[in-house]
Amino acid sequence: MTAPDSDGSKTDEGQESKTLRDAGRADKWSVGWIMVAVGLWMWFAFLMLSSYGPESHDGVPRCEGPLIAPFQRDGYFCDSELRQWPALLGILGLSSIATAVAAATTVYAKLLSRMAKAPAPGADR
């Protein structure tokens, strides 16, 4: 796997290129996880803040988001399963998990790229 150099030492160019490819692949996965996390956080914010329900005669929706009016009286027209607290907490949990996975994948990708560029232990500088 390693070829001797002109001075007899062995180089690990194949291992370095494989590690760089793995780092690039992990970096692409981390970007994907970041997109998923941002999308989930945006969905959560939309559900918490936006008004919904049928519009009244002046064109304003009758129901406020749970963060704007948490204690509003529930009517038959304000029933939205996604705006109930158990569903909102589930979306918050998914957002948190996706954020943690994105952070871990990003750190792993950066670590791999630095390890690939670092000289091998015991090698002369």
Side-chain angles (χ1 to χ4, degrees):
M1 301 275 163
T2 58
D5 255 352
S6 59
D7 61 350
S9 66
K10 295 189 174 192
T11 61
D12 289 323
E13 299 219 3
Q15 183 67 25
E16 179 182 333
S17 66
K18 181 187 179 305
T19 307
L20 280 174
R21 279 194 316 267
D22 290 345
R25 187 176 303 121
D27 193 38
K28 290 175 186 161
W29 273 102
S30 72
V31 169
W33 276 110
I34 289 170
M35 297 285 204
V36 168
V38 166
L40 284 170
W41 279 109
M42 288 174 53
W43 186 34
F44 178 72
F46 173 77
L47 290 175
M48 288 292 287
L49 297 172
S50 67
S51 299
Y52 63 99
E55 295 180 356
S56 60
H57 59 80
D58 58 353
V60 178
R62 294 182 183 184
C63 305
E64 296 289 328
L67 193 60
I68 304 297
F71 301 113
Q72 74 181 351
R73 198 180 63 193
D74 286 334
Y76 67 93
F77 50 83
C78 285
D79 286 339
S80 174
E81 289 81 18
L82 284 178
R83 287 183 168 82
Q84 301 298 319
W85 284 107
L88 288 170
L89 290 175
I91 295 169
L92 178 64
L94 286 175
S95 302
S96 301
I97 290 170
T99 302
V101 170
T105 310
T106 302
V107 168
Y108 178 67
K110 299 300 177 192
L111 180 70
L112 271 180
S113 65
R114 287 187 182 200
M115 283 176 42
K117 294 174 186 171
D124 293 332
R125 290 186 182 209

PDB file of all heavy atoms in Angstrom, residues 21-36 98 101-106 108-109:
ATOM      1  N   ARG A  21     -11.009  12.448   0.624  1.00  0.00           N
ATOM      2  CA  ARG A  21     -12.299  12.099   0.003  1.00  0.00           C
ATOM      3  C   ARG A  21     -13.361  11.885   1.066  1.00  0.00           C
ATOM      4  O   ARG A  21     -14.501  12.343   0.929  1.00  0.00           O
ATOM      5  CB  ARG A  21     -12.161  10.833  -0.852  1.00  0.00           C
ATOM      6  CG  ARG A  21     -11.577  11.060  -2.214  1.00  0.00           C
ATOM      7  CD  ARG A  21     -11.780   9.859  -3.116  1.00  0.00           C
ATOM      8  NE  ARG A  21     -11.515   8.575  -2.489  1.00  0.00           N
ATOM      9  CZ  ARG A  21     -10.356   7.916  -2.522  1.00  0.00           C
ATOM     10  NH1 ARG A  21      -9.345   8.432  -3.171  1.00  0.00           N
ATOM     11  NH2 ARG A  21     -10.231   6.761  -1.921  1.00  0.00           N
ATOM     12  N   ASP A  22     -12.986  11.184   2.142  1.00  0.00           N
ATOM     13  CA  ASP A  22     -13.937  10.975   3.241  1.00  0.00           C
ATOM     14  C   ASP A  22     -14.325  12.298   3.885  1.00  0.00           C
ATOM     15  O   ASP A  22     -15.485  12.496   4.260  1.00  0.00           O
ATOM     16  CB  ASP A  22     -13.338  10.045   4.292  1.00  0.00           C
ATOM     17  CG  ASP A  22     -13.214   8.607   3.790  1.00  0.00           C
ATOM     18  OD1 ASP A  22     -13.842   8.274   2.762  1.00  0.00           O
ATOM     19  OD2 ASP A  22     -12.496   7.824   4.446  1.00  0.00           O
ATOM     20  N   ALA A  23     -13.372  13.210   4.024  1.00  0.00           N
ATOM     21  CA  ALA A  23     -13.671  14.521   4.596  1.00  0.00           C
ATOM     22  C   ALA A  23     -14.625  15.299   3.692  1.00  0.00           C
ATOM     23  O   ALA A  23     -15.558  15.950   4.174  1.00  0.00           O
ATOM     24  CB  ALA A  23     -12.383  15.305   4.809  1.00  0.00           C
ATOM     25  N   GLY A  24     -14.431  15.228   2.396  1.00  0.00           N
ATOM     26  CA  GLY A  24     -15.335  15.897   1.465  1.00  0.00           C
ATOM     27  C   GLY A  24     -16.733  15.322   1.516  1.00  0.00           C
ATOM     28  O   GLY A  24     -17.732  16.058   1.481  1.00  0.00           O
ATOM     29  N   ARG A  25     -16.806  14.005   1.619  1.00  0.00           N
ATOM     30  CA  ARG A  25     -18.105  13.344   1.714  1.00  0.00           C
ATOM     31  C   ARG A  25     -18.815  13.724   3.023  1.00  0.00           C
ATOM     32  O   ARG A  25     -20.007  14.038   3.029  1.00  0.00           O
ATOM     33  CB  ARG A  25     -17.925  11.831   1.632  1.00  0.00           C
ATOM     34  CG  ARG A  25     -19.216  11.058   1.550  1.00  0.00           C
ATOM     35  CD  ARG A  25     -18.992   9.563   1.366  1.00  0.00           C
ATOM     36  NE  ARG A  25     -18.203   9.285   0.189  1.00  0.00           N
ATOM     37  CZ  ARG A  25     -17.040   8.630   0.194  1.00  0.00           C
ATOM     38  NH1 ARG A  25     -16.544   8.166   1.315  1.00  0.00           N
ATOM     39  NH2 ARG A  25     -16.381   8.411  -0.927  1.00  0.00           N
ATOM     40  N   ALA A  26     -18.086  13.733   4.122  1.00  0.00           N
ATOM     41  CA  ALA A  26     -18.667  14.121   5.402  1.00  0.00           C
ATOM     42  C   ALA A  26     -19.085  15.587   5.385  1.00  0.00           C
ATOM     43  O   ALA A  26     -20.103  15.956   5.989  1.00  0.00           O
ATOM     44  CB  ALA A  26     -17.679  13.857   6.535  1.00  0.00           C
ATOM     45  N   ASP A  27     -18.328  16.428   4.687  1.00  0.00           N
ATOM     46  CA  ASP A  27     -18.688  17.838   4.585  1.00  0.00           C
ATOM     47  C   ASP A  27     -19.997  18.004   3.814  1.00  0.00           C
ATOM     48  O   ASP A  27     -20.841  18.826   4.189  1.00  0.00           O
ATOM     49  CB  ASP A  27     -17.556  18.610   3.909  1.00  0.00           C
ATOM     50  CG  ASP A  27     -17.722  20.098   4.044  1.00  0.00           C
ATOM     51  OD1 ASP A  27     -18.165  20.544   5.116  1.00  0.00           O
ATOM     52  OD2 ASP A  27     -17.403  20.820   3.079  1.00  0.00           O
ATOM     53  N   LYS A  28     -20.186  17.233   2.766  1.00  0.00           N
ATOM     54  CA  LYS A  28     -21.446  17.296   2.016  1.00  0.00           C
ATOM     55  C   LYS A  28     -22.622  16.811   2.867  1.00  0.00           C
ATOM     56  O   LYS A  28     -23.706  17.387   2.821  1.00  0.00           O
ATOM     57  CB  LYS A  28     -21.337  16.485   0.732  1.00  0.00           C
ATOM     58  CG  LYS A  28     -20.422  17.116  -0.281  1.00  0.00           C
ATOM     59  CD  LYS A  28     -20.227  16.257  -1.491  1.00  0.00           C
ATOM     60  CE  LYS A  28     -19.178  16.898  -2.388  1.00  0.00           C
ATOM     61  NZ  LYS A  28     -18.605  15.971  -3.323  1.00  0.00           N
ATOM     62  N   TRP A  29     -22.407  15.776   3.654  1.00  0.00           N
ATOM     63  CA  TRP A  29     -23.459  15.302   4.554  1.00  0.00           C
ATOM     64  C   TRP A  29     -23.783  16.361   5.603  1.00  0.00           C
ATOM     65  O   TRP A  29     -24.942  16.550   5.976  1.00  0.00           O
ATOM     66  CB  TRP A  29     -23.045  14.001   5.236  1.00  0.00           C
ATOM     67  CG  TRP A  29     -23.383  12.788   4.434  1.00  0.00           C
ATOM     68  CD1 TRP A  29     -22.529  12.048   3.673  1.00  0.00           C
ATOM     69  CD2 TRP A  29     -24.661  12.178   4.302  1.00  0.00           C
ATOM     70  NE1 TRP A  29     -23.199  11.021   3.080  1.00  0.00           N
ATOM     71  CE2 TRP A  29     -24.523  11.073   3.454  1.00  0.00           C
ATOM     72  CE3 TRP A  29     -25.917  12.457   4.818  1.00  0.00           C
ATOM     73  CZ2 TRP A  29     -25.577  10.256   3.106  1.00  0.00           C
ATOM     74  CZ3 TRP A  29     -26.971  11.637   4.482  1.00  0.00           C
ATOM     75  CH2 TRP A  29     -26.800  10.554   3.637  1.00  0.00           C
ATOM     76  N   SER A  30     -22.744  17.045   6.094  1.00  0.00           N
ATOM     77  CA  SER A  30     -22.992  18.071   7.109  1.00  0.00           C
ATOM     78  C   SER A  30     -23.802  19.224   6.532  1.00  0.00           C
ATOM     79  O   SER A  30     -24.680  19.762   7.214  1.00  0.00           O
ATOM     80  CB  SER A  30     -21.679  18.571   7.703  1.00  0.00           C
ATOM     81  OG  SER A  30     -20.960  19.374   6.786  1.00  0.00           O
ATOM     82  N   VAL A  31     -23.549  19.594   5.296  1.00  0.00           N
ATOM     83  CA  VAL A  31     -24.352  20.644   4.655  1.00  0.00           C
ATOM     84  C   VAL A  31     -25.804  20.181   4.519  1.00  0.00           C
ATOM     85  O   VAL A  31     -26.740  20.947   4.769  1.00  0.00           O
ATOM     86  CB  VAL A  31     -23.750  21.030   3.287  1.00  0.00           C
ATOM     87  CG1 VAL A  31     -24.701  21.903   2.492  1.00  0.00           C
ATOM     88  CG2 VAL A  31     -22.426  21.730   3.468  1.00  0.00           C
ATOM     89  N   GLY A  32     -25.999  18.925   4.162  1.00  0.00           N
ATOM     90  CA  GLY A  32     -27.360  18.389   4.067  1.00  0.00           C
ATOM     91  C   GLY A  32     -28.076  18.408   5.406  1.00  0.00           C
ATOM     92  O   GLY A  32     -29.247  18.797   5.494  1.00  0.00           O
ATOM     93  N   TRP A  33     -27.385  18.005   6.465  1.00  0.00           N
ATOM     94  CA  TRP A  33     -28.000  18.017   7.800  1.00  0.00           C
ATOM     95  C   TRP A  33     -28.293  19.439   8.266  1.00  0.00           C
ATOM     96  O   TRP A  33     -29.292  19.689   8.946  1.00  0.00           O
ATOM     97  CB  TRP A  33     -27.115  17.294   8.813  1.00  0.00           C
ATOM     98  CG  TRP A  33     -27.321  15.816   8.795  1.00  0.00           C
ATOM     99  CD1 TRP A  33     -26.443  14.875   8.344  1.00  0.00           C
ATOM    100  CD2 TRP A  33     -28.480  15.103   9.239  1.00  0.00           C
ATOM    101  NE1 TRP A  33     -26.986  13.625   8.476  1.00  0.00           N
ATOM    102  CE2 TRP A  33     -28.233  13.737   9.025  1.00  0.00           C
ATOM    103  CE3 TRP A  33     -29.687  15.485   9.789  1.00  0.00           C
ATOM    104  CZ2 TRP A  33     -29.157  12.753   9.351  1.00  0.00           C
ATOM    105  CZ3 TRP A  33     -30.614  14.509  10.115  1.00  0.00           C
ATOM    106  CH2 TRP A  33     -30.345  13.162   9.895  1.00  0.00           C
ATOM    107  N   ILE A  34     -27.411  20.384   7.906  1.00  0.00           N
ATOM    108  CA  ILE A  34     -27.661  21.784   8.258  1.00  0.00           C
ATOM    109  C   ILE A  34     -28.927  22.273   7.558  1.00  0.00           C
ATOM    110  O   ILE A  34     -29.749  22.978   8.166  1.00  0.00           O
ATOM    111  CB  ILE A  34     -26.439  22.658   7.913  1.00  0.00           C
ATOM    112  CG1 ILE A  34     -25.295  22.358   8.875  1.00  0.00           C
ATOM    113  CG2 ILE A  34     -26.794  24.141   7.937  1.00  0.00           C
ATOM    114  CD1 ILE A  34     -23.977  22.980   8.491  1.00  0.00           C
ATOM    115  N   MET A  35     -29.106  21.911   6.289  1.00  0.00           N
ATOM    116  CA  MET A  35     -30.318  22.312   5.548  1.00  0.00           C
ATOM    117  C   MET A  35     -31.569  21.723   6.203  1.00  0.00           C
ATOM    118  O   MET A  35     -32.582  22.412   6.335  1.00  0.00           O
ATOM    119  CB  MET A  35     -30.228  21.862   4.096  1.00  0.00           C
ATOM    120  CG  MET A  35     -29.118  22.485   3.338  1.00  0.00           C
ATOM    121  SD  MET A  35     -29.529  24.154   2.943  1.00  0.00           S
ATOM    122  CE  MET A  35     -28.500  24.400   1.551  1.00  0.00           C
ATOM    123  N   VAL A  36     -31.497  20.459   6.590  1.00  0.00           N
ATOM    124  CA  VAL A  36     -32.643  19.818   7.255  1.00  0.00           C
ATOM    125  C   VAL A  36     -32.946  20.528   8.580  1.00  0.00           C
ATOM    126  O   VAL A  36     -34.109  20.823   8.883  1.00  0.00           O
ATOM    127  CB  VAL A  36     -32.362  18.311   7.488  1.00  0.00           C
ATOM    128  CG1 VAL A  36     -33.390  17.699   8.421  1.00  0.00           C
ATOM    129  CG2 VAL A  36     -32.343  17.572   6.161  1.00  0.00           C
ATOM    130  N   ALA A  98     -31.760  17.180  14.764  1.00  0.00           N
ATOM    131  CA  ALA A  98     -31.123  17.492  13.477  1.00  0.00           C
ATOM    132  C   ALA A  98     -29.993  18.497  13.650  1.00  0.00           C
ATOM    133  O   ALA A  98     -28.956  18.401  12.985  1.00  0.00           O
ATOM    134  CB  ALA A  98     -32.165  18.022  12.492  1.00  0.00           C
ATOM    135  N   VAL A 101     -26.968  16.586  15.154  1.00  0.00           N
ATOM    136  CA  VAL A 101     -26.333  15.741  14.129  1.00  0.00           C
ATOM    137  C   VAL A 101     -25.548  16.606  13.142  1.00  0.00           C
ATOM    138  O   VAL A 101     -24.434  16.251  12.735  1.00  0.00           O
ATOM    139  CB  VAL A 101     -27.388  14.867  13.416  1.00  0.00           C
ATOM    140  CG1 VAL A 101     -26.801  14.171  12.199  1.00  0.00           C
ATOM    141  CG2 VAL A 101     -27.957  13.841  14.376  1.00  0.00           C
ATOM    142  N   ALA A 102     -26.109  17.758  12.767  1.00  0.00           N
ATOM    143  CA  ALA A 102     -25.409  18.663  11.846  1.00  0.00           C
ATOM    144  C   ALA A 102     -24.114  19.175  12.466  1.00  0.00           C
ATOM    145  O   ALA A 102     -23.072  19.225  11.801  1.00  0.00           O
ATOM    146  CB  ALA A 102     -26.324  19.832  11.473  1.00  0.00           C
ATOM    147  N   ALA A 103     -24.161  19.533  13.742  1.00  0.00           N
ATOM    148  CA  ALA A 103     -22.947  20.017  14.414  1.00  0.00           C
ATOM    149  C   ALA A 103     -21.895  18.918  14.518  1.00  0.00           C
ATOM    150  O   ALA A 103     -20.710  19.159  14.250  1.00  0.00           O
ATOM    151  CB  ALA A 103     -23.304  20.546  15.796  1.00  0.00           C
ATOM    152  N   ALA A 104     -22.313  17.724  14.887  1.00  0.00           N
ATOM    153  CA  ALA A 104     -21.359  16.613  15.013  1.00  0.00           C
ATOM    154  C   ALA A 104     -20.747  16.247  13.658  1.00  0.00           C
ATOM    155  O   ALA A 104     -19.537  15.990  13.566  1.00  0.00           O
ATOM    156  CB  ALA A 104     -22.053  15.402  15.625  1.00  0.00           C
ATOM    157  N   THR A 105     -21.548  16.241  12.622  1.00  0.00           N
ATOM    158  CA  THR A 105     -21.039  15.906  11.290  1.00  0.00           C
ATOM    159  C   THR A 105     -20.083  16.977  10.783  1.00  0.00           C
ATOM    160  O   THR A 105     -19.076  16.668  10.146  1.00  0.00           O
ATOM    161  CB  THR A 105     -22.200  15.728  10.302  1.00  0.00           C
ATOM    162  OG1 THR A 105     -23.164  14.844  10.877  1.00  0.00           O
ATOM    163  CG2 THR A 105     -21.738  15.147   8.993  1.00  0.00           C
ATOM    164  N   THR A 106     -20.376  18.241  11.082  1.00  0.00           N
ATOM    165  CA  THR A 106     -19.487  19.327  10.669  1.00  0.00           C
ATOM    166  C   THR A 106     -18.144  19.226  11.384  1.00  0.00           C
ATOM    167  O   THR A 106     -17.084  19.369  10.759  1.00  0.00           O
ATOM    168  CB  THR A 106     -20.147  20.685  10.964  1.00  0.00           C
ATOM    169  OG1 THR A 106     -21.394  20.744  10.275  1.00  0.00           O
ATOM    170  CG2 THR A 106     -19.272  21.834  10.518  1.00  0.00           C
ATOM    171  N   TYR A 108     -16.793  16.526  12.620  1.00  0.00           N
ATOM    172  CA  TYR A 108     -16.111  15.334  12.100  1.00  0.00           C
ATOM    173  C   TYR A 108     -15.464  15.622  10.741  1.00  0.00           C
ATOM    174  O   TYR A 108     -14.324  15.210  10.492  1.00  0.00           O
ATOM    175  CB  TYR A 108     -17.111  14.185  11.994  1.00  0.00           C
ATOM    176  CG  TYR A 108     -16.541  12.919  11.428  1.00  0.00           C
ATOM    177  CD1 TYR A 108     -15.585  12.194  12.135  1.00  0.00           C
ATOM    178  CD2 TYR A 108     -16.942  12.441  10.188  1.00  0.00           C
ATOM    179  CE1 TYR A 108     -15.054  11.028  11.616  1.00  0.00           C
ATOM    180  CE2 TYR A 108     -16.420  11.280   9.663  1.00  0.00           C
ATOM    181  CZ  TYR A 108     -15.477  10.572  10.379  1.00  0.00           C
ATOM    182  OH  TYR A 108     -14.945   9.424   9.862  1.00  0.00           O
ATOM    183  N   ALA A 109     -16.167  16.341   9.875  1.00  0.00           N
ATOM    184  CA  ALA A 109     -15.617  16.665   8.551  1.00  0.00           C
ATOM    185  C   ALA A 109     -14.388  17.560   8.679  1.00  0.00           C
ATOM    186  O   ALA A 109     -13.387  17.348   7.979  1.00  0.00           O
ATOM    187  CB  ALA A 109     -16.683  17.343   7.695  1.00  0.00           C
TER     188      ALA A 109
END
